[in-house]
Amino acid sequence: MATEQYRQYIQQLLTERAQRVSKQQNAEEDEVQTLFDTERNHYQLLYVGWRGNRREFGCILHLDIKDGKTWIQHDGTEVGIANQLVELGVPKQDIVLAFHEPDIRPFTEFGTGKITDPNDRGLELV
C-alpha cells in the first residue's frame, strides 16, 4: 500500500481522536494538538495546557512512516491505533510496534522493521 495512503489514514485517525478528546476537555487552557510533518513522515497527537496550577503536557500518539511501513513509536490509547489501521486495510506486516524491543517484535502479529539482507542482495524488509 502506498505511503500516501498511510499518511491519509494516520492524519484521519489522529484528527478524529483530537476532535473527540477536545470535546471532553473541561479546562480553559488545556488543548489537544495534532502535529503532521508530511515531509519527513512524523505524526503526533499531544495534549498541552494547564489544569489549575499544574502544567499538563504529554504525547498520546506518535507514528512515523519509514521504508513504506507505519512505525508506532508511542500509543497511549486503550483501543490501539494499530487495530484501527488494520480495520482501514493496512496489512499487519506494514505496521511496526516500535515501542516493543526489536527482539520482541517477531512474536507480535505485526511487522518487525528489520532488514533481512543488509548487503542488499534483493533487500527485503520483513
Side-chain angles (χ1 to χ4, degrees):
M1 198 171 271
T3 298
E4 184 57 39
Q5 186 67 57
Y6 293 168
R7 278 188 194 117
Q8 291 174 7
Y9 288 159
I10 291 168
Q11 290 178 41
Q12 171 191 332
L13 292 170
L14 269 58
T15 299
E16 288 171 358
R17 181 166 292 274
Q19 290 170 347
R20 280 195 312 272
V21 173
S22 291
K23 289 178 184 176
Q24 299 169 355
Q25 300 290 49
N26 295 338
E28 288 179 23
E29 290 191 33
D30 198 22
E31 66 179 293
V32 177
Q33 298 178 349
T34 54
L35 302 176
F36 300 153
D37 179 352
T38 56
E39 185 177 322
R40 290 177 286 287
N41 289 315
H42 303 297
Y43 306 89
Q44 291 187 1
L45 180 65
L46 307 167
Y47 62 89
V48 61
W50 290 90
R51 288 192 182 244
N53 62 354
R54 184 175 156 205
R55 180 70 175 157
E56 296 276 321
F57 176 84
C59 178
I60 301 169
L61 289 162
H62 176 178
L63 294 90
D64 297 320
I65 300 174
K66 299 194 274 186
D67 300 319
K69 296 181 186 275
T70 299
W71 289 62
I72 302 173
Q73 303 292 355
H74 176 74
D75 186 346
T77 68
E78 291 180 19
V79 173
I81 196 162
N83 297 322
Q84 293 177 302
L85 289 166
V86 169
E87 287 174 11
L88 289 171
V90 178
K92 287 184 177 183
Q93 67 268 16
D94 283 358
I95 300 170
V96 177
L97 304 179
F99 51 83
H100 285 309
E101 296 176 39
D103 292 340
I104 301 298
R105 294 179 200 155
F107 301 104
T108 70
E109 299 176 52
F110 297 93
T112 63
K114 290 185 179 182
I115 298 173
T116 58
D117 186 0
N119 297 318
D120 194 17
R121 288 186 217 112
L123 187 68
E124 182 181 337
L125 294 174
V126 180

